[in-house]
Amino acid sequence: MTLVLGGARSGKSRYAEALIEAVPGPWLYLATAQAWDDEMRARIALHRERRPEGWSTQDVPLALAQAVAAAHGPVLVDCLTLWLTNVMLAEADLPAAVDGLLDACAAARGPLVLVGNEVGLGIVPDNALGRRFRDEAGRLHQRLAHQADRVVFMVAGLPLTVKPSPENPGASA
Amino acid sequence: MTLVLGGARSGKSRYAEALIEAVPGPWLYLATAQAWDDEMRARIALHRERRPEGWSTQDVPLALAQAVAAAHGPVLVDCLTLWLTNVMLAEADLPAAVDGLLDACAAARGPLVLVGNEVGLGIVPDNALGRRFRDEAGRLHQRLAHQADRVVFMVAGLPLTVKPSPENPGASA
Amino acid sequence: MTLVLGGARSGKSRYAEALIEAVPGPWLYLATAQAWDDEMRARIALHRERRPEGWSTQDVPLALAQAVAAAHGPVLVDCLTLWLTNVMLAEADLPAAVDGLLDACAAARGPLVLVGNEVGLGIVPDNALGRRFRDEAGRLHQRLAHQADRVVFMVAGLPLTVKPSPENPGASA
């Protein structure tokens, strides 16, 4: 299990896709984005086209834990941030959803790569929802990072290893 | 002297507490948070409860340099960002306050860990106070980092060493 | 070619200046800031005064690629973020401008250091221009980082190596 964190447009998705494609497929893409408008639909279509043969895509705006639990091969979750947004907007039981995701990740049968947006490094947001979201995203990332075998922080498309893989502790990327 | 930087909910306080608890106590917690409302009071109370026996807490919204100077054992300052906010809101002499803090840190008699929020990695704030705060926080962190023996940047609860300890230059965390 | 990324007041400019001053001069400072008001004029004047003898400064709010292409010795570009802002505000052809800059950097005859602000690590901006700017800045940084020999991420005045120099792969800073 690898956690790929980074800012907007830091190359997280590309890097995560390359990690998964390094193991034999078929590969499962768990997409948490919801197409609210045409701009979003176009962006999602573009992402799908970029991926080569061998990928199947499943839309899981909310039922992410169930999809991870049901998967058998290599899985890419892109991204945690949109899933968290969806859970908060649906006014679902957030602590239960997070616990469920952690359990499903721990029990995953194949390689698992999760992508998340780091959002806590700017000035304090001026609205309460922004502050709450930032807090929940930080807590979720901490719990997943604790459980992950490897954690990287992306800067301009380049991975900075924050938690080295136990099998390959000397690797800097 | 160790400087622990990181975003919101990046695990800075927990990591800093663990650093201090690794040396023999009693330990002094210099808390800069001011309880403006019930939410803040609850948050501060929760932080206090989390800390084990052996900690004493002193509230220093402004007189941080004096408290550091008066301490004899291991000290945790949590956090610099709220202290800076308090100094700016009090319209106190900021350059003098910062110089005083730097001097007190340089003269500290025991291990000293300071926690600060990294706030300069988002989009430019749209209000002048936000921009000024971001500039002052960045300058304060640079001066403290220059003086510190060790600087870490927290990502999802994991420390990334930015300035390695001179006693242990090979340690990556 | 070295890319120096970091947040506001993270010590990017000072670090970049020191990198350039480590090679024999004269050194060329390509300044992209535009003095819109007195505060900005004062800030630019301060920056100029800080630089020692041996520097010449050229103001290039837009024609950055041409200036890089025309240079013969060591060049510092400070900063990419303001240049990108200027190109977007001028409603110039952004993709062509970025391609031109990448080509000029690839063909540079002397050492080249570029400074950029990392702006993608906060909460999603609430306005469309902010979101678009954040996306374009991230894309530009990724392309330059891919091409650069070395990339550093500044934290509190300290360089964290994200892409090590090929001549000196063991250096951590």
Side-chain angles (χ1 to χ4, degrees), chain B residues 1 19 23 27 38 47 50 64 71 74 89 93 97 122 124 140 145 148 151 160 163:
Chain B
M1 173 180 168
L19 280 183
V23 300
W27 312 297
D38 286 350
H47 266 251
R50 201 179 68 195
L64 183 56
L89 291 180
D93 183 347
V124 178
L140 174 64
V151 181
L160 205 56
K163 184 180 190 175

Side-chain angles (χ1 to χ4, degrees), chain C residues 12-31 47-58 71 73-78 111-115:
Chain C
K12 301 181 300 295
S13 295
R14 258 173 215 273
Y15 180 74
E17 286 170 30
L19 281 182
I20 287 285
E21 290 169 7
V23 299
W27 312 297
L28 177 60
Y29 192 98
L30 296 179
H47 267 251
R48 285 201 184 205
E49 278 169 31
R50 204 179 63 195
R51 291 193 289 274
E53 290 290 305
W55 281 96
S56 62
T57 302
Q58 195 179 332
V75 175
L76 170 55
V77 174
D78 194 356
L112 177 64
V113 178
L114 301 110
V115 171

Side-chain angles (χ1 to χ4, degrees), chain C residues 109-154:
Chain C
R109 277 160 290 195
L112 177 64
V113 178
L114 301 110
V115 171
N117 255 57
E118 183 56 65
V119 296
L121 288 157
I123 215 85
V124 179
D126 57 9
N127 63 84
L129 184 63
R131 288 194 297 273
R132 200 190 142 213
F133 176 73
R134 197 172 72 141
D135 283 1
E136 297 297 353
R139 284 196 196 103
L140 173 64
H141 292 166
Q142 280 192 52
R143 290 185 64 187
L144 285 165
H146 182 74
Q147 190 170 301
D149 302 299
R150 182 163 173 252
V151 181
V152 298
F153 178 67
M154 301 298 296

Side-chain angles (χ1 to χ4, degrees), chain B residues 3 5 118 120-123 134-135 138-139 141-142 145 151 153 160-163, chain C residues 7-11 43 118-122 130 133-134 153 155-158 160:
Chain B
L3 180 63
L5 298 174
E118 184 54 65
L121 288 156
I123 214 90
R134 196 171 74 139
D135 282 359
R139 283 195 196 104
H141 291 166
Q142 281 193 50
V151 181
F153 179 67
L160 205 56
T161 297
V162 183
K163 184 180 190 175
Chain C
R9 303 285 149 194
S10 63
R43 197 178 265 223
E118 183 56 65
V119 296
L121 288 157
F133 176 73
R134 197 172 72 141
F153 178 67
V155 176
L158 300 163
L160 205 55

